[in-house]
Amino acid sequence: MVRAAGSEIGGHIAIYPGSFDPITNGHLDLIERGAKLVDKLIVSILRNDSKQPLFTVEERMEMLSEVVGGFPNVELDSFDGLLVDYAARKSATVILRGIRAISDYEFELQMALMNRRLGPDIETIFLMAGEAYSYISSRLVKEVFGLGGNISGLVPPTVEARLRKRKGI
Ligand code: PNS
């Protein structure tokens, strides 16, 4: 558990924000590893996403719950508006994000610096994606599945089942 001096009373709450459309094994790996570093990890789905999602927020929440429902210090939620405002409402001190390849770095750096400017008390912490997951994204999973490719091992089985149901197979 990470504890800054003087933080013994409250403990650290981290937010892992994202679209999770749908959750992949890469996200799951990050949640498992991130949850070990903090007292509470809130995995939170952005509600007002400009991207056209495949699954509704409620469906994504159900899938997350099926996969991480048993983790004792992981909570699920959704949010609107600025991430730093949401994090402050949740008394979070940490934003957790994953970095897969160097191509993620630029966008993540921009977000981390903007979030630091907007909320200087909240620190963004990055975990490197596990090597087995470093090429997996929700977007690619949807594309490959939509074109009939095999996605087993890339997403939890329950997510694969939902994708099949959605496609009527
Ligand atoms: O899974 P994603 O799509 O990469 O997640 C992006 C997310 C949700 C982390 C980002 O879009 C976000 O934080 N949106 C909330 C609105 C906000 O605070 N924007 C300014 C961030 S610099």
Side-chain angles (χ1 to χ4, degrees):
M1 236 168 263
V2 178
R3 287 199 188 279
S7 73
E8 287 77 7
I9 296 170
H12 279 287
I13 299 174
I15 308 281
Y16 179 29
S19 310
F20 304 106
D21 183 41
I23 180 173
T24 67
N25 283 345
H27 293 128
L28 181 57
D29 172 59
L30 213 85
I31 294 169
E32 281 178 353
R33 288 160 52 212
K36 290 183 194 148
L37 302 176
V38 293
D39 299 277
K40 182 158 87 178
L41 180 65
I42 305 175
V43 181
S44 198
I45 303 172
L46 175 65
R47 281 196 163 269
N48 55 341
D49 204 337
S50 56
K51 296 177 223 161
Q52 274 295 319
L54 177 64
F55 292 104
T56 65
V57 170
E58 286 66 32
E59 287 171 318
R60 284 179 266 162
M61 189 73 89
E62 278 171 25
M63 282 184 273
L64 277 167
S65 161
E66 284 160 6
V67 176
V68 301
F71 292 19
N73 67 334
V74 175
E75 266 181 28
L76 302 177
D77 196 14
S78 60
F79 75 104
D80 267 325
L82 279 180
L83 175 59
V84 288
D85 291 344
Y86 167 71
R89 286 199 298 278
K90 290 284 172 184
S91 308
T93 49
V94 170
I95 294 168
L96 178 71
R97 292 284 289 172
I99 292 200
R100 288 165 298 192
I102 195 79
S103 48
D104 281 339
Y105 176 81
E106 201 170 318
F107 176 59
E108 294 299 333
L109 176 69
Q110 280 180 350
M111 280 208 301
L113 293 180
M114 183 61 81
N115 283 333
R116 188 188 295 164
R117 182 193 160 99
L118 296 169
D121 295 335
I122 298 172
E123 202 63 61
T124 304
I125 290 183
F126 296 100
L127 290 182
M128 293 297 160
E131 60 271 31
Y133 310 108
S134 59
Y135 62 95
I136 304 176
S137 68
S138 301
R139 186 183 64 77
L140 269 189
V141 163
K142 286 182 283 191
E143 184 176 321
V144 169
F145 184 78
L147 296 171
N150 181 3
I151 55 153
S152 70
L154 304 182
V155 293
T158 166
V159 172
E160 193 178 341
R162 275 194 192 244
L163 281 163
R164 284 188 189 289
K165 201 169 157 198
R166 174 60 61 96
K167 216 179 161 190
I169 52 174

